[in-house]
Amino acid sequence: MTELKRIVILTGAGVSAESGIDTFRSAGGLWEQHKVEDVATPEGFARDPDLVLGFYDMRREALTQVEANDAHRALARLEAEYSGERLLVTQNVDDLHERGGSTQVLHMHGELKSALCTSCEMRSAWDAPMVDRPPCPICRASTLRPDVVWFGEMPYQMERIYAALATCDLFVSIGTSGAVYPAAGFVQEARAAGAQTLELNLEPSEGSHHFAQSRHGLASELVPEWVGEILGG
Ligand code: BV8
């Protein structure tokens, strides 16, 4: 019986692309419609809160129009059936991993369906617009912001992620361009720990050369195939 592998999986916008959610850097993607510094930085939020709250309200609303795809469902199957250690880290702020059946998801860049109050600093589950400045469910102040990690802000649960990378046997990156740090550096952490590394992406990412193995194609095809290999032992 081969020793069960400790697996760390990182997903990006490419895993949700076939569900109809815009990625960031493809043609017509989110960052073509808006400048990053205007909608995904604390400075942009301070400069024009209506623009930023409206940007995230639009993306939160779009979640109601899409469904999880076979890639999300395959990762949920892995969670349900794999008896080794597994950590799913996503850069995505959508809830499609959960709607595809995953229950243990680490959202390192936060979530559209969570609100952060800048007065009491508490988080609340949230699925309504914020542009009309609704009161914080906890302290009632009208100071909610999207609970997402903007550029220049510290991603969530980094210690837990680095601890998992330091002891994993296999690191798999799915649907990410490898353009944003610290997530883009995870493959190097895993390699330093002696892990196998695999990239599943539509095309070679910016960090492709760091991966021992790369498979290119649609996540909805590559991920079920890979999960089948892992569960098939
Ligand atoms: C931090 C949340 C430190 C909000 C996001 C210079 C060098 C190195 C780093 C930096 C630097 N200058 C500044 C930095 C730091 C900066 C950074 O990395 N900048 C980049 C641009 C150089 N990083 C940060 O600021 C981070 N914080 O460093 O903090 C710190 C230290 C101490 C104290 C305080 C702070 C925070 C970064 C988080 C930013 N927030 N999003 C929101 O979602 O709106 S980033 C955003 O882009 C996403 O969350 C995502 O994480 C990220 C990357 O996007 P991807 O998911 O990869 O999507 P993309 O469109 O790029 O690619 C999609 C891929 O899928 C493509 O490859 C495509 O081919 C593929 N694909 C498409 N369709 C399919 C597919 N694959 C398979 N199947 C398909 N069907």
Side-chain angles (χ1 to χ4, degrees), residues 11-18 22-26 30-31 36 39-40 55-56 59 91-93 108-110 112 148-155 174-183 200-206 217-220 222:
T11 64
V15 82
S16 297
E18 291 163 85
D22 278 350
T23 64
F24 290 87
R25 290 168 186 82
S26 54
L30 283 169
W31 295 150
V36 170
V39 291
F55 174 62
Y56 286 94
R59 290 172 64 192
Q91 301 173 87
N92 299 340
V93 292
M108 67 178 287
H109 288 165
L112 285 169
V148 298
V149 176
W150 286 326
F151 286 94
E153 295 184 325
M154 180 58 88
I174 303 171
T176 180
S177 61
V180 172
Y181 290 81
L200 306 178
N201 204 53
L202 191 63
E203 70 225 339
S205 72
E206 292 185 27
L218 295 173
S220 63
L222 291 176

